Amino acid sequence: MPPPAPAPPAFLQLAGHPLRWRLLGELARSDRMVSELTGLVGEPQNLVSYHLAKLKAARLVQARRSSADRRDTYYGLDLGRVGRELAAAGGALHPGLALGPAGQAPDRAPDQAGPPARVLFLCTGNSARSQMAEALVRARSGGAVQAFSAGSHPKPLHPHAVRVMAEAHGLDLAGQVSKSLDVFAGQDFDWVISLCDRVREVCPQFPGGPEVIHWSLANPATGEADAVTYPLFQATAAALETRIGYLLAAIADRPSAPRRAP
């Protein structure tokens, strides 16, 4: 008698449910609140919340209270963990199906032959998160993506943002300047990404139908002592690096379209 067939990996059993797979797909694109997810998937809130709880218990999805309204919660996909689980699932079926270095963001820059994609990162002060994201995209895309950043209430560049980019990525932010959203009013972008819950609520519409995404990242500038806040900046930089790796892969897969000159 042949040995019993092994059960599919737990990740496949969990993610293979049609609604959970749909939720994972929506959260792969942008962080969302439950009320937004119910509209996107066309299912009642109690059912969406039930399946989100399953995904959160498996640590595929993370939850964070909104910094704009503490009654709201943003859900986001743990891209690194999902990548590791997918790699392990492929390897469990056949060694040749393992999906490369488990958990690493894909190293795929957009094609430089076409017109460069334009990405705008937004946060409240344009002093840390959005500035770090702008620098990372410019460096990792090798010029194939034009990255910009702005804030709804600009503040001077935070010294910890300069320090962490220099120490962790060898990037010099010292010459970057905080800018207001008004600077980019009326310009066309391919992607507009908010990194702060507050700026998401005041983000204007941009022409050209850009892909609008939200990454709910806590502000590392808490006003506490440097010994407390600098590790927060390090964690934020690491989270941005992971998300940007996947963003560049998505941009590489997106066909270019004509765009007005800025």
Side-chain angles (χ1 to χ4, degrees):
M1 177 179 293
F11 166 77
L12 292 183
Q13 298 182 57
L14 181 71
H17 184 281
L19 179 53
R20 289 197 284 267
W21 184 255
R22 183 86 185 277
L23 292 171
L24 289 172
E26 293 295 344
L27 294 175
R29 175 178 173 270
S30 176
D31 294 0
R32 297 286 189 184
M33 294 182 287
V34 171
S35 58
E36 294 176 304
L37 290 169
T38 57
L40 289 167
V41 303
E43 297 290 350
Q45 181 170 327
N46 61 341
L47 187 61
V48 170
S49 296
Y50 170 79
H51 287 290
L52 278 176
K54 292 278 189 182
L55 296 171
K56 185 171 179 288
R59 294 183 294 162
L60 301 177
V61 165
Q62 300 169 332
R64 194 181 77 81
R65 288 285 183 186
S66 169
S67 58
D69 187 337
R70 301 294 293 176
R71 295 170 296 181
D72 294 329
T73 297
Y74 278 102
Y75 289 86
L77 192 65
D78 187 333
L79 290 163
R81 183 171 182 83
V82 171
R84 292 190 293 273
E85 294 287 357
L86 282 170
L93 191 62
H94 187 282
L97 295 177
L99 301 180
Q104 291 185 9
D107 187 14
R108 295 180 56 199
D111 185 1
Q112 295 192 47
R118 285 169 55 86
V119 180
L120 177 64
F121 291 100
L122 304 175
C123 63
T124 301
N126 191 217
S127 61
R129 290 164 288 183
S130 53
Q131 294 276 10
M132 292 190 288
E134 174 187 349
L136 284 167
V137 167
R138 287 185 174 183
R140 291 197 57 175
S141 70
V145 177
Q146 295 179 346
F148 308 87
S149 66
S152 56
H153 296 81
K155 297 190 298 186
L157 191 63
H158 199 290
H160 284 346
V162 177
R163 177 185 168 192
V164 76
M165 285 291 100
E167 292 183 351
H169 301 283
L171 301 177
D172 183 8
L173 266 63
Q176 294 190 192
V177 178
S178 298
K179 300 167 292 296
S180 169
L181 266 169
D182 298 338
V183 172
F184 299 101
Q187 293 191 25
D188 282 0
F189 293 95
D190 298 288
W191 303 73
V192 175
I193 303 176
S194 54
L195 307 176
C196 151
D197 303 332
R198 289 189 175 91
V199 83
R200 187 192 189 202
E201 297 192 354
V202 299
C203 181
Q205 290 188 338
F206 288 86
E211 187 85 7
V212 179
I213 291 176
H214 182 56
W215 297 348
S216 181
L217 300 177
N219 185 1
T222 62
E224 298 171 275
D226 289 355
V228 175
T229 57
Y230 188 63
L232 300 179
F233 275 81
Q234 291 175 308
T236 299
L240 285 169
E241 182 181 28
T242 296
R243 292 203 187 220
I244 284 167
Y246 287 94
L247 171 68
L248 293 178
I251 293 175
D253 280 341
R254 183 178 182 177
S256 60
R259 185 177 56 243
R260 297 183 308 172

